Amino acid sequence: MNEIAKEKAFLGIGKKLSGKEIAGARGGLKLKRKLLGKEDFIEGYWDKSEKDYVYRIKDEYKDIILEWVKIENLEI
């Protein structure tokens, strides 16, 4: 996230994000969806080579999310 902020300064992301903030946002999304009875579309796992948790969009949701990003004229 911090690397994206550096590369795309025009997005106006001025704050550095810590691992806790990223994990908190991900955790909040997962918990809220669970409470609403909705399926989680993000998966996370420990990556030995990265020595950190890696989060990604589940394969079955990638096309749906990419289509939404295009419709909303957003950038990934």
Side-chain angles (χ1 to χ4, degrees):
M1 297 295 276
N2 293 324
E3 293 303 313
I4 292 169
K6 284 180 200 173
E7 292 174 17
K8 302 190 179 216
F10 62 88
L11 293 174
I13 304 169
K15 180 184 177 202
K16 273 189 107 168
L17 296 171
S18 70
K20 273 187 172 180
E21 289 171 312
I22 294 169
R26 194 261 177 208
L29 178 63
K30 182 176 179 103
L31 290 172
K32 181 164 180 138
R33 293 190 62 76
K34 187 175 183 180
L35 289 172
L36 294 172
K38 296 184 177 184
E39 189 175 346
D40 188 12
F41 57 88
I42 298 173
E43 61 186 356
Y45 59 92
W46 180 260
D47 187 315
K48 290 179 185 175
S49 64
E50 293 288 328
K51 297 180 182 166
D52 203 353
Y53 281 96
V54 174
Y55 299 102
R56 65 185 203 129
I57 298 169
K58 290 181 179 179
D59 289 337
E60 59 266 30
Y61 296 102
K62 284 182 183 176
D63 291 337
I64 296 166
I65 292 171
L66 286 173
E67 184 63 30
W68 176 80
V69 167
K70 289 177 187 175
I71 290 169
E72 294 295 320
N73 200 25
L74 300 172
E75 185 176 333
I76 296 178

